[in-house]
């Protein structure tokens, strides 16, 4: 008997033994896509708020990028403004501020990858080692709280701690070194303060995805490692990290997509006239040029340039991940 005939006989036998399964398969194959939507209508209703958010705030604003190729005037509108091609991009690349902005933005991006990106992973691994579930939940609650604070509050807390007029940190520094340090205005302290703020605010929230991935790790692998004599570090290195490697790769690809997105609010709130040389990035530059000076087309070209770099990094990193045997994001 051929292999196909044998499989057909097995299918018939399984169908005779389980008539309910065969009936369910036939019913499922006969349902049209419209009937499936009617059947699962409440699931699609739950999908609507998220779908509306992406359409309104993510897709519809894409129409505005056309003004990057125009000499846009609010009085003439998109259809009445003159098309100038790539002139806005050319002017931006020839601008003396371009390399300074690119340098500052790239430094923040690299610092994010080196210091902030591993922080949620390390914290997740530490929380995963806690044996008391109640203590773990309490710790998770405390580390999630900073995420829900606005950058205005974070900047205010930083000012209270580091100001030379009675700041707690400066009081300690004065007792140790005999003098105060101007952390808030000194250019050399601007980047460390920004990184400390990001790590303190977002590390706890970043553990959500990694902790969820850690719950899927097979417990039998830990038991087998213990039988083989592996200690905690060995189990962490050879069982835990390989199990969440795909999640780490996906999050890294998404992080690279935001490589040049340093965030406007935090940088703007922490910058001043004394540290402006290291604080100016693409996001703040777009605000100052586009909003305060009214150069809408020019600032849109700057934002579009940043987005294109993000797309290139996502596609490149995703292809590289697949080359090394990972699934990637698409």
């Amino acid at each position: 008997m051929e292999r196909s005939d044998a499989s057909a006989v097995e299918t018939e036998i399984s169908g005779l033994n389980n008539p309910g399964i065969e009936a369910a398969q036939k019913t499922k194959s006969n349902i049209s896509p419209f009937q499936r939507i009617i059947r699962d209508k409440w699931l699609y209703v739950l999908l609507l708020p998220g779908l509306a958010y992406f359409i309104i705030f993510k897709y519809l604003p894409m129409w505005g990028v056309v003004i990057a190729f125009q000499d846009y005037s609010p009085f003439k509108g998109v259809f009445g403004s003159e098309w100038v091609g790539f002139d806005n991009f050319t002017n931006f690349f020839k601008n003396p501020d371009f390399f300074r902005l690119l340098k500052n933005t790239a430094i923040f991006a690299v610092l994010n990858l080196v210091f902030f990106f591993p922080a949620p992973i390390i914290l997740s691994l530490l929380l995963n080692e806690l044996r008391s579930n109640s203590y773990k939940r309490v710790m998770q609650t405390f580390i999630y709280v900073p995420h829900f604070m606005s950058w205005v509050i974070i900047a205010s807390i930083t000012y209270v701690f580091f100001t030379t007029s009675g700041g707690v940190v400066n009081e300690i520094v004065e007792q140790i070194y005999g003098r105060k340090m101007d952390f808030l205005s000194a250019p050399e302290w601007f980047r460390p303060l920004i990184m400390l703020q990001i790590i303190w605010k977002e590390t706890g929230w970043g553990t959500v995805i990694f902790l969820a991935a850690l719950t899927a790790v097979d417990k039998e692998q830990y038991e087998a490692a213990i039988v083989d004599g592996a200690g905690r570090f060995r189990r962490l290195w050879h069982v835990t990290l390989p199990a969440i490697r795909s999640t780490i790769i996906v999050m890294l690809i998404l992080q690279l997509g935001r490589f040049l997105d340093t965030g406007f609010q935090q940088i703007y709130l922490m910058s001043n006239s004394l540290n402006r040389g290291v604080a100016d990035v693409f996001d703040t530059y777009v605000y100052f040029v586009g909003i305060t000076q009214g150069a809408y087309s020019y600032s849109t070209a700057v934002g579009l340039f940043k987005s294109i770099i993000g797309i290139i990094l996502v596609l490149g990193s995703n292809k590289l991940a697949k080359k090394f045997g990972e699934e990637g994001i698409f």
Side-chain angles (χ1 to χ4, degrees):
M1 184 181 292
E2 295 182 358
R3 188 172 182 179
S4 59
D5 295 336
S7 61
V9 171
E10 291 177 358
T11 305
E12 291 179 2
I13 294 174
S14 62
L16 291 174
N17 294 332
N18 301 285
I21 297 177
E22 184 179 2
Q25 291 177 348
K26 289 182 179 180
T27 304
K28 185 177 180 181
S29 60
N30 293 332
I31 295 178
S32 65
F34 180 75
Q35 290 174 329
R36 292 179 183 176
I37 293 175
I38 297 299
R39 183 190 62 186
D40 303 326
K41 57 181 178 299
W42 294 115
L43 294 177
Y44 288 98
V45 170
L46 292 175
L47 177 67
L48 288 178
L51 188 63
Y53 167 79
F54 278 97
I55 292 175
I56 296 173
F57 295 103
K58 300 296 182 181
Y59 286 96
L60 290 181
M62 289 184 182
W63 166 253
V65 301
V66 299
I67 69 174
F69 306 94
Q70 296 179 325
D71 183 12
Y72 176 73
S73 172
F75 302 101
K76 296 180 180 179
V78 176
F79 298 101
S81 299
E82 180 184 357
W83 291 89
V84 295
F86 292 94
D87 288 353
N88 291 315
F89 295 91
T90 304
N91 294 333
F92 174 56
F93 296 144
K94 290 182 178 180
N95 194 314
D97 292 330
F98 171 73
F99 288 103
R100 180 175 62 87
L101 295 169
L102 182 62
K103 176 185 174 182
N104 292 339
T105 307
I107 289 175
F108 280 117
V110 172
L111 290 175
N112 272 322
L113 284 178
V114 174
F115 294 103
F116 171 66
F117 180 75
I121 302 173
I122 296 172
L123 185 57
S124 300
L125 296 174
L126 294 175
L127 290 173
N128 190 56
E129 293 296 320
L130 295 176
R131 293 294 175 257
S132 175
N133 290 328
S134 59
Y135 181 67
K136 182 188 295 187
R137 287 193 291 269
V138 171
M139 290 300 298
Q140 285 179 273
T141 302
F142 277 108
I143 65 177
Y144 290 165
V145 169
H147 170 76
F148 298 99
M149 296 183 182
S150 68
W151 282 115
V152 176
I153 297 176
I154 302 297
S156 300
I157 293 174
T158 305
Y159 177 83
V160 170
F161 272 88
F162 291 94
T163 181
T164 55
S165 303
V168 176
V169 175
N170 255 316
E171 293 295 331
I172 297 174
V173 170
E174 186 178 19
Q175 292 180 7
I176 297 175
Y177 296 101
R179 63 183 182 87
K180 294 183 178 181
M181 301 182 66
D182 195 0
F183 294 101
L184 299 176
S185 299
E188 62 271 16
W189 284 105
F190 182 78
R191 290 168 183 149
L193 285 177
I194 293 296
M195 294 312 304
L196 286 174
Q197 288 179 336
I198 294 175
I199 292 172
W200 182 72
K201 185 177 187 293
E202 301 295 346
T203 297
W205 186 252
T207 61
V208 173
I209 294 177
F210 296 109
L211 286 173
L214 287 170
T215 59
V217 180
D218 190 0
K219 303 300 181 183
E220 294 182 357
Q221 295 185 20
Y222 288 115
E223 296 172 359
I226 293 173
V227 172
D228 292 338
R232 279 198 171 187
F233 181 77
R234 289 283 184 179
R235 296 198 299 269
L236 175 68
W237 186 259
H238 294 288
V239 178
T240 307
L241 284 177
I244 64 172
R245 182 176 60 185
S246 59
T247 304
I248 295 175
I249 294 298
V250 170
M251 296 306 295
L252 178 60
I253 293 173
L254 295 176
Q255 180 69 27
L256 288 174
R258 302 188 296 268
F259 188 75
L260 297 181
D261 189 8
T262 55
F264 166 74
Q265 293 185 47
Q266 181 191 16
I267 303 294
Y268 179 77
L269 291 170
M270 293 298 298
S271 62
N272 52 60
S273 58
L274 297 177
N275 58 24
R276 189 80 66 190
V278 297
D280 279 341
V281 293
F282 287 136
D283 292 316
T284 56
Y285 184 72
V286 167
Y287 168 76
F288 286 119
V289 174
I291 303 299
T292 63
Q293 299 180 16
Y296 303 110
S297 295
Y298 182 78
S299 60
T300 303
V302 177
L304 183 58
F305 163 76
K306 190 182 70 171
S307 301
I308 292 173
I309 297 298
I311 293 174
I312 293 173
L313 289 174
V314 167
L315 295 177
S317 57
N318 186 73
K319 185 175 181 180
L320 188 63
K322 287 189 173 182
K323 186 176 181 181
F324 283 97
E326 299 295 333
E327 294 183 1
I329 58 175
F330 54 84

